[in-house]
Amino acid sequence: MHRTTSPSLTMGPVYYLWDGPKWRDFHFRIADEAPVERVVIGETVCSKRQHFIEPHIAEVIERLEAAGKTVVLSTLSLVTLERESRQIRDLVADSEHMIEANDLSALGLLNGKPHSIGPLVNVYNAPTARLLAGRGATSICLPPELPFTSVEKIVAGAPAIAFEVFAFGRMPLAISARCAHARSKGKIKDNCQFVCGEDPDGLPVKTLDRQSFLALNGVQTVSHTCQALLGELAGLAACGISAIRLSPQDCDMVAVAKLYRAVLDNSLDADEAIMLLREIYPTAALSNGFHHAREGAAWVARARDTAHGRV
Amino acid sequence: MEFPRALAIPLAYMPLAAIERAAGLLFQRVLKEHPDLFERLGEYKSKRFAFLPSDLPLAFIVEPAGPSIRVTRKQAMQDLADASVEGPLFLLLALLEGRCDADALFFSRDLSVTGDMEAMLAMRNALDGADIDLPRDLSRLAGPLAPLFGEMGRDIRRRALNGETSRWN
Amino acid sequence: MELICPAGTPAAFREAVDAGADAVYCGFRDETNARSFPGLNFSRQELREAIAYARRHGTQTFVALNTFMRAGDEEIWYRAAADAVALEADALILADFGLMAHVAERYPEQRLHVSVQASASNVDAINFLVDAFHAKRIVLPRTLTIADIARIAPQIRCEIEAFVFGGLCVMAEGRCSLSSYATGKSPNMNGVCSPASHVRYRQEGTELVSELGDYTINRFPAGEAAGYPTLCKGRFDIADSPAYAFEDPVSLDVMGEIDALSAAGVSALKIEGRQRGKAYVAEVVSTLKKVLSAGPEQRTALLMHLRGLSEGQKTTSGAYEKRWR
């Protein structure tokens, strides 16, 4: 599906533990001000956090839809407990909204219903994408690890699907049964007291030589660097990508969305946008290495290469 | 387990040429028994590998592309190898035979490795994949020295295994 | 219970068979499997001979094709599957949906096992793979407790294989990009984790420093047991205090719990370690074989014997025990 229209923007689910009011207000503002078409909501990382956002889900959906946004409900990415399985079954059975599958149980349960596939499901090639399309997937957000050479081939090889690429935010790199975040604060997962809520943008992990490296987000590990595909947007649009995903960080996400929209609309030069993005989100160095088949932490400038080892 | 000092000290003063001739003889013998030995190395066949017995002042440098083996004093080996492994001689010989697990010896800090890790890993796997049996392979050496090499091989193995398994237990 | 044993070379394969493995798993010498290390794995001819050797001894051979097909190069994986089928592998161990669908359709008689890399960690996920691809066995991710397995087993329609000994992935398998974040090469895409090409060791004073790509992974003081330079077992600074952020250099050992695993419904016990030497394979397989027939009181002594071979010379029950979380 080579679209003549420019890709739309999708706001991904908040991966971090933000308290209920912060989470609600963030989405209210996205509804009112951000030029995004789709918003994915729902706890994706840790089922224990569910109750923080639950009281606000209905009002957030209402506000987003009133603003003309499409709401998509995200499922958990690591499902091991009966309670977690039940929650996904109930969601699939009852939801009137599009669901984004982030693990194999959701994939299985959504068979035959239109659904989305999140970036935490392994889609590395077109045969896999076509198989998922045959089971009802209408859109797929590709894993951040994929190089552009693969993205192009997958899009070309599965024309019935709308593809999305993870273009802003710290990249989800791993998930574990063990909670490293709780562990780092002397707790265990079962008695974590939600200490991950103290770090709304992740807890920095540095090497012993003081290099910024990773960040902990509960049971999830994210990159220190922030994925920033801006100079790459034109190429992504040209190869037929339908949507660009922005993953919320603790910064002005409305400004991020406007910036990406402006670059997609050719009203802002990508190099200038990169400079502006560094001001909007100064916390982490930018990276785009995965896209260029390099180490994910690398920053490949359009004219020259530099790596972000030591910050 | 260390190479007996009584042997190590004279080795240090022996003419290198003599040691190299002996090492070369053993090397050629092993290759004759295992002509595919370096096949697993693939693209790493062009690399140079140093085996550094921590209990001897010598460096054994193997070039599979030759194939050849050189012996130098350790001080003189700068830049002669792309990858090197260092440990007691008995362990290096046990590794050659695949009788010890290199990873385990690395975890226990009995072995240390430097340089091109990919090449060294390929060499480790190549050696491990070959069925080198020093007493058997060396006893097939023609000539009056044959029984001596065979006995030496068995002795080396006995000591290596005793030394190691006692530590693992 | 079956004992499923690793082999990275034909020599290790024979050791595993001789030591009493019920099945040996291995892979081709290319990127189609998750241990694509230099000098490791099997040519087509070597696999042919290995399968024949195994068959003579009543041992099965499983072929791991458990990386994800690179877009545009699917033919490499399809050819590997065709060859493994032609060589009469007893099972193929797969992770990629596209490859599973291909094998299920082209070779409906071929026994298909789901690799741990597929990350099927619950009833609905496993039944999806059974229904969609006729999977006969699932290798469970190392994210479940024994109680979780006991709950899942009666609700699924395939056999269960569980890792009991060897390397421990701290992260959910098949869902980890830590390695490619630092090096550009990952288990999913390249069949390598923390690849040797990016590993450097250097001695700094009395410390052994390990580096992966541009990053320091650990500093081992003299005399301290070392581990692989994998990111999930590195020592890092969190809030200015150095610690193992995810896990110590340690490996998995739940052989002490085999009765509980059996009662939970596990029918095959898997040993990790295709990258290890044949001496390791021989030692571990023969010891675990003894453990399987020994009484509980003798098991501990047998297992203690293997600890020295382990990463960091320590072992853990990992996620099988709830407190690990």
Side-chain angles (χ1 to χ4, degrees):
Chain A
M1 178 163 43
H2 279 256
R3 293 161 57 114
T4 44
T5 54
S6 161
S8 62
L9 292 180
T10 298
M11 188 64 68
V14 174
Y15 284 142
Y16 306 90
L17 174 54
W18 292 357
D19 63 45
K22 179 182 169 100
W23 184 86
R24 177 198 61 204
D25 294 345
F26 165 76
H27 286 103
F28 281 0
R29 197 164 162 244
I30 294 302
D32 298 347
E33 301 175 44
V36 300
E37 230 167 71
R38 302 203 316 161
V39 181
V40 188
I41 63 167
E43 180 55 48
T44 308
V45 173
C46 177
S47 63
K48 290 186 68 181
R49 297 168 170 178
Q50 204 81 34
H51 65 274
F52 284 91
I53 62 171
E54 218 135 62
H56 307 290
I57 287 179
E59 51 182 339
V60 160
I61 291 177
E62 195 186 319
R63 181 82 158 251
L64 287 166
E65 288 184 334
K69 319 285 189 205
T70 302
V71 173
V72 179
L73 303 181
S74 178
T75 68
L76 280 173
S77 49
L78 182 61
V79 178
T80 58
L81 305 175
E82 180 62 22
R83 167 172 62 78
E84 295 163 344
S85 282
R86 208 164 40 234
Q87 183 203 322
I88 293 184
R89 286 177 203 148
D90 292 348
L91 185 69
V92 170
D94 303 338
S95 176
E96 293 159 9
H97 291 92
M98 179 77 96
I99 294 174
E100 178 166 292
N102 280 307
D103 99 309
L104 271 58
S105 70
L107 270 190
L109 294 166
L110 286 162
N111 189 22
K113 293 185 182 189
H115 61 273
S116 296
I117 306 282
L120 305 170
V121 171
N122 287 331
V123 180
Y124 282 87
N125 49 64
T128 296
R130 287 196 297 267
L131 176 100
L132 297 175
R135 301 173 54 87
T138 55
S139 73
I140 296 178
C141 180
L142 293 168
E145 189 184 63
L146 275 182
F148 182 59
T149 47
S150 286
V151 171
E152 268 184 309
K153 286 176 186 137
I154 296 169
V155 174
I161 299 191
F163 286 99
E164 192 169 308
V165 163
F166 190 104
F168 174 84
R170 288 183 156 175
M171 295 167 280
L173 297 177
I175 189 152
S176 174
R178 175 177 249 195
C179 187
H181 205 146
R183 207 168 161 256
S184 76
K185 299 190 178 191
K187 308 273 189 290
I188 59 165
K189 189 178 172 191
D190 289 333
N191 178 26
C192 68
Q193 294 167 29
F194 304 104
V195 287
C196 58
E198 294 165 9
D199 305 294
D201 211 41
L203 174 63
V205 175
K206 293 186 172 191
T207 70
L208 294 180
D209 291 325
R210 316 290 299 153
Q211 304 155 278
S212 291
F213 187 27
L214 303 167
L216 303 180
N217 170 34
V219 292
Q220 184 184 56
T221 303
V222 298
S223 59
H224 161 71
T225 62
C226 175
Q227 171 95 315
L229 302 183
L230 280 163
E232 294 80 3
L233 289 178
L236 286 166
C239 90
I241 286 292
S242 304
I244 297 299
R245 175 165 301 211
L246 312 174
S247 184
Q249 297 298 149
D250 196 12
C251 67
D252 185 348
M253 288 303 294
V254 169
V256 172
K258 286 180 174 165
L259 183 109
Y260 273 74
R261 191 65 261 166
V263 175
L264 283 167
D265 293 342
N266 295 318
S267 60
L268 178 64
D269 172 68
D271 288 334
E272 198 179 328
I274 290 163
M275 287 188 346
L276 291 169
L277 189 63
R278 288 193 172 117
E279 286 169 26
I280 298 170
Y281 188 58
T283 312
L286 305 181
S287 65
N288 56 8
F290 281 138
H291 183 90
H292 298 280
R294 290 267 309 272
E295 61 275 22
W299 175 251
V300 180
R302 275 194 284 183
R304 65 204 141 74
D305 282 9
T306 49
H308 275 304
R310 293 157 206 279
V311 178
Chain B
M1 156 115 350
E2 297 229 321
F3 200 77
R5 291 193 71 76
L7 279 175
I9 291 168
L11 266 176
Y13 294 102
M14 260 172 84
L16 276 182
I19 301 173
E20 190 165 86
R21 255 197 314 280
L25 195 64
L26 303 186
F27 183 66
Q28 295 307 333
R29 184 68 232 164
V30 168
L31 278 180
K32 189 152 188 198
E33 291 293 322
H34 306 279
D36 300 336
L37 178 60
F38 295 132
E39 186 257 337
R40 280 190 173 269
L41 286 179
E43 58 185 292
Y44 306 101
K45 208 172 164 177
S46 59
K47 302 285 182 182
R48 298 158 307 166
F49 300 85
F51 295 83
L52 308 171
S54 50
D55 37 11
L56 287 178
L58 303 173
F60 295 82
I61 294 160
V62 171
E63 295 191 40
S68 69
I69 187 165
R70 299 173 55 177
V71 184
T72 72
R73 306 267 173 220
K74 269 186 196 155
Q75 313 92 290
M77 70 149 283
Q78 230 78 35
D79 300 327
L80 287 180
D82 299 295
S84 53
V85 54
E86 181 160 18
L89 179 66
F90 290 111
L91 284 186
L92 295 182
L93 291 170
L95 273 185
L96 189 71
E97 291 192 304
R99 293 195 181 268
C100 291
D101 178 69
D103 292 8
L105 295 174
F106 171 75
F107 298 151
S108 63
R109 309 284 296 269
D110 287 303
L111 280 187
S112 62
V113 281
T114 47
D116 185 334
M117 285 302 115
E118 231 175 359
M120 191 44 90
L121 194 56
M123 174 58 87
R124 193 287 295 264
N125 290 329
L127 293 175
D128 203 77
D131 273 316
I132 295 176
D133 181 320
L134 288 176
R136 184 192 65 203
D137 296 347
L138 299 187
S139 66
R140 288 181 198 162
L141 267 174
L145 287 181
L148 179 66
F149 278 124
E151 188 44 49
M152 200 173 92
R154 274 184 291 277
D155 184 48
I156 284 169
R157 177 190 299 171
R158 197 162 47 238
R159 298 162 79 163
L161 293 182
N162 286 345
E164 262 330 281
T165 44
S166 65
R167 208 165 326 161
W168 287 350
N169 296 343
Chain C
M1 282 189 288
E2 289 174 38
L3 199 57
I4 316 298
C5 308
T9 61
F13 190 103
R14 288 190 296 274
E15 294 284 1
V17 171
D18 295 349
D22 295 294
V24 184
Y25 67 102
C26 54
F28 288 124
R29 202 181 302 169
D30 58 27
E31 70 226 280
T32 59
N33 72 89
R35 289 285 183 275
S36 180
F37 297 175
L40 210 64
N41 292 324
F42 292 67
S43 68
R44 266 47 173 184
Q45 182 56 28
E46 285 170 340
L47 184 65
R48 182 191 310 280
E49 289 161 12
I51 289 176
Y53 185 81
R55 205 147 277 173
R56 282 201 298 279
H57 292 79
T59 303
Q60 294 198 306
T61 305
F62 301 163
V63 176
L65 302 170
N66 59 347
T67 45
F68 291 83
M69 302 191 292
R70 184 170 53 252
D73 291 328
E74 293 87 358
E75 202 47 48
I76 297 173
W77 280 260
Y78 292 160
R79 208 164 45 234
D83 290 345
V85 172
L87 293 170
E88 297 180 31
D90 293 289
L92 304 190
I93 310 173
L94 309 179
D96 184 295
F97 300 149
L99 186 58
M100 287 191 216
H102 175 85
V103 168
E105 191 188 307
R106 291 286 183 89
Y107 316 107
E109 301 302 314
Q110 177 63 50
R111 198 176 156 86
L112 191 160
H113 291 185
V114 176
S115 167
V116 70
Q117 296 296 112
S119 201
S121 58
N122 56 69
V123 170
D124 297 318
I126 297 165
N127 283 338
F128 153 52
L129 298 167
V130 172
D131 293 339
F133 312 115
H134 315 298
K136 296 285 187 293
R137 180 180 292 188
I138 172 88
V139 182
L140 288 180
R142 283 158 280 191
T143 53
L144 300 169
T145 62
I146 295 177
D148 289 332
I149 299 172
R151 173 177 51 77
I152 288 171
Q155 303 179 65
I156 63 173
R157 298 182 290 278
C158 68
E159 301 160 1
I160 294 179
E161 182 172 313
F163 277 97
V164 288
F165 193 90
L168 170 73
C169 273
V170 182
M171 305 303 179
E173 301 92 337
R175 312 184 76 180
C176 181
S177 307
L178 289 176
S179 174
S180 51
Y181 177 67
T183 72
K185 293 190 187 303
S186 74
N188 284 4
M189 294 195 298
N190 313 93
V192 290
C193 175
S194 310
S197 53
H198 289 70
V199 174
R200 270 188 311 277
Y201 293 107
R202 58 191 169 81
Q203 201 68 38
E204 205 177 281
T206 57
E207 286 182 331
L208 173 68
V209 184
S210 62
E211 293 171 334
L212 185 69
D214 290 336
Y215 301 99
T216 304
I217 301 305
N218 213 332
R219 290 170 168 272
F220 298 101
E224 187 180 292
Y228 288 120
T230 43
L231 295 171
C232 56
K233 292 173 194 136
R235 196 151 28 191
F236 299 106
D237 259 359
I238 301 179
D240 293 326
S241 57
Y244 286 106
F246 308 102
E247 178 57 289
D248 299 4
V250 67
S251 67
L252 178 72
D253 176 7
V254 278
M255 283 300 288
E257 302 295 329
I258 49 177
D259 294 334
L261 287 165
S262 175
V266 173
S267 56
L269 305 174
K270 185 165 199 156
I271 304 170
E272 185 277 345
R274 287 195 280 138
Q275 75 285 8
R276 302 295 292 258
K278 64 188 175 201
Y280 175 89
V281 170
E283 183 87 13
V284 170
V285 175
S286 58
T287 305
L288 296 191
K289 195 77 192 165
K290 278 183 216 152
V291 170
L292 280 174
S293 55
E297 64 289 346
Q298 295 150 326
R299 286 178 194 153
T300 316
L302 285 164
L303 291 168
M304 275 305 287
H305 174 73
L306 296 179
R307 191 160 290 178
L309 296 172
S310 296
E311 194 173 355
Q313 302 193 303
K314 280 192 299 188
T315 56
T316 173
S317 304
Y320 291 104
E321 197 176 335
K322 196 160 182 246
R323 275 177 315 177
W324 181 81
R325 290 173 176 171

